[in-house]
Amino acid sequence: MSIVQLQNIRKVYDTKVAVEDLSFTIEPGTMFGLLGPNGSGKTSSIRMMIGITVPDSGTVSLFDKPFTRSALGRVGYLPEERGLYKKMNVLAQLTFLGQLHGLTAAVAARRATLWCERLDIVEAIPKKTEDLSKGMQQKIQFIAALLHDPDLILMDEPFSGLDPVNAFLLMSTLVDLCSTGKAVLFSTHRMDQVEKFCNSIALIHRGHLILSGSMREIKSGYPRNRILIHFEGGDAFLQHPCIESVTRYNGHAEIRLRPSATLADDAQSLLTQAIQHARVSRFQVMEPTLEEIFIEKVQETLPVKTGKLSMAQLEKEGGGDIDA
Amino acid sequence: MHNVWLIARREYVERIRTRGFLITTVMIPLIMGGLLFGSVFVNSKSVSEAHIAIVSSDSQLALDLQSELQQQQAVRMTQPNSSKVTRLTVDAMSIGPDTRAILDQELKSDDLDGYLWITAAPTLANSEPGRPTFLFTPRSPEQDSLRGTLAAALGPILMRRQLANRGILASDANSILQPVDIRVTQAPHVDNRESSQIGVFILFFLMYMVIMLYGMNVARSIIEEKTSRIFEVMLATIRPEEMMAGKILGVGSVGLTQVAIWLTAALLISAGGQGIHVTLTVAQVVYFFVYFILGYAFYSSIAAGLGAMTNSEQELQQLNLFLVLPLLVCFATLMSVLTYPDSTMARVLALIPPFTPLLMYLRVSLGHPKHWEIFASIALTSASIYAIVWVSSRIYRVGVLMYGKRPTLPELLRWLKYS
């Protein structure tokens, strides 16, 4: 059974194609990362999953059934643009939002209090929302999406603007929920978050799906040809013949090895040489990062531009458009 | 339906609790009452005291005029509607060498409001005294109204003199000149039209104000939700139509509550105290609520549409002409409908939906509309409310997710085609 199934979704706003031929599925118990630069169609896709907008073509299925509004009782949604009633008391607000999701007032209020305890914001309960800090408001919103114990949790950029401590708190909450069999989808443009927590991803760029599947599958399709080395001393070993390119930083370097059938041996030989020249404090052989894979994929599928694309450039391209 | 109820209840509870609601509930009647009593008070004060001087070589004429003025004033005081009576202080004086200079000086220093200069006419050939000439010098044009009072007092005096000249006894002359007194009484089973007109007018004004105020509140609360972006959370569970309906119902109930508070207070006050008496029949109150609800639904759904296509209060200000204009037309025709509630113009206007709530209400209260007219007005307005809600909810559905520039007309038409 799959929680979400998108098939050939397409959505056009006036002249701008927001999403084109997008398909993926989310299984129960999955932490699913929806990735892409700003304006790539993440929010549009999420909105179509919950019927805020309707796709021009293609089908959306939730919980193995074609989309109906009755399924929304099992979905929790944290929109990218946070919004709460500013003048409302926090508990009243959470109760109200819980009631809209079909809870009784009593149950909603009890769960709201429990969640506030869990997320360490008990002191916010009697306050007005507008008196809270932005981070606290974000936690309230986070709670609002989870009050009714949804089976599918959709989080649009859930960690933007949060400090690392709180971001970690929310992330581990999501991981907990995921381990109880809920499906969590979160969208982000931060590849490192995805790399750490997600077991399944979809990469989109300009409304097109570029890459999708489980993290392990995707990574295993790439050779372990990246080396991260932290060292002190001479850097003559960087002239080793198996090295294709090097990026030097202060105290460390990122190395890309030449394609070869014996990558593991090449890495060993490089390490041997490095030890002779310098004091090595870290030596790690790995697959390309998600960011590298993403950039590579974008360059493959789109007309090649001169020079190397970076995330920042991609964002600049997409950022001007309406993220609708 | 449950969602509509939840939204409406939240809207209602949150609004009732605000200080703004308390303030408008208390302040608006206070301000209106204050204005009403204030204007009465100012009216009774401003012209109520007047000091005039009568200058005449014929001192008897001056004295007669003085006593006649005082007598007439005493009569007028005893009559109802006596708020406008001017309390006169009259000085009679004979002509001295610099009388005019002194009087002019007093006028200048505001001690005097005007003086009447009587010049005796030369005796005619048949030894009858001629008519004296009168010259009134008011301090300012406002005191010109005193001229009428003076003329009314002089008439009987001169007549009495002429009668005396013709040998008629003073007592006979008095009985001849006895003023006619017509009393006013009320026919049975006809309501006091004037006070009911005042009552209806107050209700009309109330309806106008509340529709205006709360219609704009609907628009404003939609904009507020757009700026706080809460609607996106809401749209993840409920339909835009439910949200709009809930909003309109919730805000409207607040308006109804406020009107109910005002009406109850007004009834209690007019039952308990004297003063301004407002009589309203049960039918007038019932029709008031019927047409109030129609009017509110009509204008607030327009407002909801306007709110959905704008992003800020400033933008809304530019569009609120659509709300204000029809209401202003009602106001412009108010006086003529009030006076001739069954004229052709009133009958036609009252059937046009934007004007129906206010004007048909006036006709029902004061005129004699036919049954089919009442029925048609309600049916037509309901049908157009349905149409407006349909259009507005479509605009709402798309507009609420749009931000950035305000839509152009062709864009709006395209929004209507989205389903």
Side-chain angles (χ1 to χ4, degrees), chain A residues 287-300:
Chain A
E287 304 98 347
T289 61
L290 208 50
E291 184 171 336
E292 285 170 316
I293 296 175
F294 178 63
I295 291 168
E296 201 180 301
K297 278 287 183 180
V298 169
Q299 277 170 329
E300 269 174 32

Side-chain angles (χ1 to χ4, degrees), chain A residues 14 47 50 52-53 69 72 77 79 81-86 88 96-97 99-101 141, chain B residues 3 6-7 9-10 14 225 228-230 232-239 401 403 411 414:
Chain A
D14 284 344
R47 281 183 179 169
I50 50 177
I52 291 182
T53 52
R69 294 195 67 88
L72 289 178
Y77 174 47
E81 302 266 9
R82 316 284 188 255
L84 292 166
Y85 287 110
K86 292 198 199 87
M88 244 179 142
F96 169 67
L97 291 171
Q99 279 179 292
L100 279 185
H101 284 96
Q141 189 111 48
Chain B
N3 289 336
L6 282 173
I7 303 263
R9 197 188 53 180
R10 192 206 77 86
E14 288 296 313
E225 241 154 64
S228 79
R229 318 226 58 91
I230 178 86
E232 205 172 334
V233 184
M234 317 278 280
L235 288 186
T237 44
I238 63 173
R239 292 166 189 282
L401 286 173
Y403 18 100
E411 273 173 321
R414 212 168 325 132

Side-chain angles (χ1 to χ4, degrees), chain A residues 21-156:
Chain A
D21 195 25
L22 181 67
S23 309
F24 60 75
T25 48
I26 304 178
E27 306 297 328
T30 317
M31 183 72 89
F32 189 94
L34 184 60
L35 284 158
N38 297 336
S40 55
K42 300 187 297 279
T43 302
S44 296
S45 314
I46 294 179
R47 281 183 179 169
M48 282 187 280
M49 284 180 217
I50 50 177
I52 291 182
T53 52
V54 182
D56 297 337
S57 63
T59 54
V60 179
S61 304
L62 292 185
F63 310 108
D64 279 333
K65 279 180 220 120
F67 177 82
T68 54
R69 294 195 67 88
S70 56
L72 289 178
R74 296 171 67 188
V75 181
Y77 174 47
L78 177 83
E80 179 184 15
E81 302 266 9
R82 316 284 188 255
L84 292 166
Y85 287 110
K86 292 198 199 87
K87 305 273 176 203
M88 244 179 142
N89 167 289
V90 167
L91 188 62
Q93 177 134 264
L94 285 174
T95 310
F96 169 67
L97 291 171
Q99 279 179 292
L100 279 185
H101 284 96
L103 300 180
T104 64
V107 172
R110 201 176 58 236
R111 288 197 194 169
T113 317
L114 285 175
W115 270 108
C116 285
E117 282 164 13
R118 182 164 172 185
L119 293 187
D120 203 22
I121 45 168
V122 182
E123 73 273 18
I125 293 177
K127 288 189 185 159
K128 268 191 185 178
T129 309
E130 61 183 351
D131 297 335
L132 300 179
S133 72
K134 228 182 154 196
M136 277 196 175
Q137 290 189 24
Q138 197 155 332
K139 282 184 176 177
I140 304 286
Q141 189 111 48
F142 186 83
I143 294 173
L146 301 176
L147 266 186
H148 55 292
D149 196 24
D151 295 316
L152 170 62
I153 300 163
L154 302 172
M155 305 245 141
D156 203 349

Side-chain angles (χ1 to χ4, degrees), chain B residues 65 68 72 131 150-160 177:
Chain B
L65 181 54
E68 180 69 26
Q72 283 195 0
R131 215 160 223 240
L150 289 170
L154 278 168
I157 294 173
L158 294 179
M159 214 180 281
R160 216 173 270 136
L177 290 173

